[in-house]
Amino acid sequence: MKEKGMGRVRLGRFAAVTVPATVVSVGLGVAMLQGAVSASLSSTNPFKVTAASGSGSGVELSLRAAQAAASQTDGTAADKQSAFVTLTDGTVNQVCLAANQPTGLPVISNIGLKIQLPGSVALGDSVDLNAQGVTTDATLKNVSVGVAQQELDHQSTVANGANMGGFGIESGQSAGGAAGDTGNVALNNVDADVFQVNLASIGLTGVTLTPTTGTATC
């Protein structure tokens, strides 16, 4: 049986870094449904996601294989080793996404896209990141480090890439904290290289999309 860590744990520059992607061309796919928006953002190579701050009631982290297109011109699913991070009841502030796609042309060598969400963004019940790397200043309550992946909720439906006895971290309500307490997880200076973002729902206001023939950055 896993032990529950109690109290508060301060993690300075918390990082989850895994094997770099080997495909050099980048493809960005964006699918957003109208109404109560469901969204999935995925890319052949990681795209940049940053946020000034965030909060949530719980977080889980483990390792798995993310599926993305094999290359810019090949939509066949390919596995990418990644950190799998789930934030429950999450809210993030001042979000930026930046992705770049090489064109293979001599004059315009790259097309970039920058998406900015200037206010507070509610992420719904949960948001999953399949990330090459995540860095943030985090304050987490009720932390358990070394949890078997089979005991993490976010691995329960993973068909590929899960290691039942593999390494995992959980904090917040899943590790004994008060359910629904969005003060269980506090994040600052979030900087992630992400293969895919999956959200149950999202509320968007004041979104700015900026295409560029140069390199998009956050």
Side-chain angles (χ1 to χ4, degrees):
M1 180 178 297
K2 60 187 177 185
E3 295 182 357
K4 304 298 184 181
M6 303 301 292
R8 297 172 67 89
V9 173
R10 175 71 179 174
L11 300 180
R13 307 307 296 170
F14 170 68
V17 180
T18 57
V19 181
T22 58
V23 181
V24 296
S25 59
V26 178
L28 173 68
V30 179
M32 293 187 178
L33 304 180
Q34 294 181 349
V37 179
S38 294
S40 177
L41 310 179
S42 63
S43 69
T44 300
N45 265 12
F47 56 94
K48 178 67 69 177
V49 178
T50 65
S53 60
S55 62
S57 63
V59 67
E60 294 182 340
L61 183 148
S62 60
L63 303 177
R64 63 169 290 183
Q67 284 199 331
S71 71
Q72 180 182 344
T73 57
D74 182 358
T76 304
D79 287 341
K80 308 297 179 92
Q81 296 302 310
S82 71
F84 186 33
V85 184
T86 297
L87 178 66
T88 54
D89 301 319
T91 298
V92 287
N93 304 295
Q94 300 179 38
V95 179
C96 175
L97 290 78
N100 293 281
Q101 179 173 309
T103 65
L105 301 175
V107 177
I108 302 174
S109 60
N110 184 81
I111 297 174
L113 176 65
K114 183 176 182 178
I115 303 174
Q116 292 176 286
L117 310 172
S120 177
V121 179
L123 301 176
D125 293 338
S126 66
V127 57
D128 296 330
L129 296 181
N130 288 299
Q132 186 185 72
V134 180
T135 301
T136 182
D137 298 315
T139 302
L140 309 177
K141 294 180 181 179
N142 304 297
V143 184
S144 294
V145 179
V147 180
Q149 289 181 15
Q150 65 185 352
E151 298 190 42
L152 298 174
D153 291 339
H154 77 178
Q155 287 280 11
S156 61
T157 60
V158 173
N160 125 16
N163 182 347
M164 299 303 286
F167 176 79
I169 297 173
E170 67 176 349
S171 73
Q173 64 185 48
S174 58
D181 181 359
T182 56
N184 287 335
V185 178
L187 308 173
N188 287 286
N189 305 315
V190 179
D191 190 328
D193 296 309
V194 178
F195 289 115
Q196 187 171 41
V197 181
N198 292 312
L199 306 102
S201 65
I202 187 173
L204 303 176
T205 302
V207 180
T208 301
L209 289 85
T210 308
T212 177
T213 55
T215 301
T217 59
C218 287

